[in-house]
Amino acid sequence: MMKKSKPGTRVTIKDIASAANVSISTVSKVMNGTGSISRQTQDNIKRVINELDYRPSELARALHQKKTYTIGLLSSDNYGRFSLPILNGIENALAEAQISVFLCNAGGCEQELKRHVDSLLAKRVDGIIVTAAKTDTRLPLPMKKNQTPVVYAYTDVEDENALCVLPDDIGAGQLASQHLITQGCKHIVQITGPAHFMAVRQRDAGCKSVLSAHGLKDYPLQYGPWNSEHGYAAAREILSRCPEVDGIITGNDLIAHGVLQALHEHHRQVPKDVAVVSYDNWQVITELCRPTLSSVDFELKELGRIAGKCLIEKIDGQVHRGKIIVPCYLQMSESSCRYSIS
């Protein structure tokens, strides 16, 4: 049986070579996937590495390849509703490259943001991903002349050299409205969040284009906070003023929750009398709603994976700039499906 090192003693590549009865250079070639080494020798070295529980020196690897194998993730999403799925996708993209992530909460003032950026640059991270709780345009990072690669995920910047990975909010508006029309809705209203949000404006543009193409009336949007109370109050007001409404698109799942409550109190059957579609597909809400809620999913995990993949490519010297728009899909459920859809 192979003798393991004493507790607290670090196993070195020399120990591996000695235990496997090969040269240090042979072990190095196997670990780096280089050179022409027989399968038997490779298997033997890998067995020794596992038995001795060898952990390569990250510092040595960094010095050899001139990389730290770390990136910074700057997020201003204090609740994590959007940044956590994006982070999951980013880590999936980085796992194969054995890159770790420093997560920084940049939801405070500009001085705090600068402090985080300075700290990441001092750690010599290989790249930075910036994400937020909304897609609105923001200022580029204060990088001065530093050449560290940056990717913006779920947030936009006005910089022709920047790379931004964004959800398809225009497509989401088109998807939601087209689905309601397919289900027979003729009078569709939108109950959404604050008017200054870019996502609100883009989804409205997508919705309007579909309504116009079908010759349907464009009802005024009902703006308000991103919460259930707004959905409830706005739906009650619409039902009293426009009783002909038979389709409602809500700005997020929380707003939809309030809308469903108002429809129930007004004895409107969902989706028979009024069909409802929302955005975000937050399953904590959609699966608890009665009826269960149809909602547009923005593929945040995939968005994060694409952002991570692009950052790796930028670190490797590839040039990426412009905007990558990630397609969304509609998770159909009971609140909108009057007819079966194959």
Side-chain angles (χ1 to χ4, degrees), residues 115-160:
R115 179 176 63 82
H116 282 308
V117 171
D118 290 343
S119 175
L120 291 172
L121 295 180
K123 289 180 171 63
R124 303 183 67 83
V125 294
D126 297 324
I128 297 175
I129 295 178
V130 182
T131 188
K134 56 184 179 179
T135 58
D136 291 35
T137 303
R138 55 165 295 144
L139 293 174
L141 287 189
M143 302 286 286
K144 296 182 179 179
K145 294 183 179 180
N146 189 283
Q147 298 301 310
T148 301
V150 178
V151 172
Y152 298 88
Y154 204 80
T155 188
D156 200 4
V157 294
E158 292 182 353
D159 183 349
E160 62 181 11

Side-chain angles (χ1 to χ4, degrees), residues 48-73:
V48 171
I49 288 173
N50 289 331
E51 291 184 0
L52 293 183
D53 195 24
Y54 172 72
R55 295 289 185 271
S57 169
E58 294 297 325
L59 177 59
R61 183 169 70 139
L63 291 173
H64 177 67
Q65 300 189 16
K66 297 182 180 179
K67 293 180 181 179
T68 63
Y69 290 91
T70 58
I71 67 114
L73 177 62

